[in-house]
Amino acid sequence: MTEQTAAPFPQKDRFPLFCDVRGKKALVVGGGAVSARRCRTLCRFSLDILVAAPRLDPDILELERHGLLKTVCRPFEPRDLEGAFLAVAATDSRQVNRQVGLLARQAGCFVSVADRAEECTFFFPALIETETLTIGVAGDGRDHAAVARAAGQIREVIG
């Protein structure tokens, strides 16, 4: 049996993953302000976005008018997850968010559950973008203000 020694560097739980999302499906469940913020972020990338919610924030409808996403005005249905690469559960219902998170994880889909970090398999970073760069800044979930400060400092440096 091999003896294990301590790693020569700290082990972190969150790996920054940049992947090709062209044409991959993203499902956003919920139509409020949090969902609208998530949609604005996702629309900056080449995803096929579907938003499912009984009521939709005007910002989401504006993104749809620009052809950046599609909406269905009804509650979430499990079939909405078919073919999804990632999902966002951002409703005001703990039960619906839990269901979306559980079904997405079972389907092998990355999922962000707005009201429970422990149910997430991915986290939205602070984004810094130029024409040719996309930089994501994320922390361990304990200090969102530090992440925002770091992102601001990076924006100042890259102009």
Side-chain angles (χ1 to χ4, degrees):
M1 186 159 191
T2 313
E3 184 179 321
Q4 262 190 335
T5 60
F9 39 80
Q11 298 289 288
K12 297 185 178 188
D13 294 333
R14 297 182 180 181
F15 178 77
L17 176 68
F18 284 81
C19 57
D20 188 343
V21 296
R22 280 176 289 190
K24 294 192 186 299
K25 179 180 177 181
L27 171 67
V28 177
V29 180
V34 173
S35 293
R37 280 197 313 274
R38 297 302 184 224
C39 286
R40 281 192 299 276
T41 297
L42 294 172
C43 282
R44 291 153 64 178
F45 300 89
S46 303
L47 291 155
D48 290 334
I49 304 166
L50 174 65
V51 181
R55 289 177 305 285
L56 297 163
D57 185 282
D59 287 348
I60 294 172
L61 295 172
E62 181 66 19
L63 294 169
E64 183 176 41
R65 278 190 287 281
H66 287 285
L68 296 169
L69 53 77
K70 293 179 182 166
T71 64
V72 289
C73 246
R74 59 161 172 71
F76 165 74
E77 296 176 3
R79 67 183 167 102
D80 294 332
L81 276 165
E82 289 175 10
F85 174 72
L86 67 84
V88 175
T91 74
D92 58 2
S93 167
R94 171 86 284 267
Q95 181 180 355
V96 172
N97 289 348
R98 181 177 34 249
Q99 179 189 27
V100 172
L102 177 66
L103 292 174
R105 287 188 306 278
Q106 287 174 350
C109 177
F110 289 105
V111 65
S112 171
V113 181
D115 61 345
R116 289 289 195 279
E118 64 273 13
E119 295 178 15
C120 296
T121 60
F122 86 93
F123 302 89
F124 279 82
L127 291 176
I128 300 99
E129 295 175 279
T130 69
E131 188 174 320
T132 58
L133 296 174
T134 300
I135 302 165
V137 180
D140 61 8
R142 291 182 287 187
D143 191 350
H144 298 295
V147 171
R149 281 191 306 275
Q153 291 169 341
I154 294 167
R155 282 186 192 96
E156 285 179 22
V157 169
I158 66 172

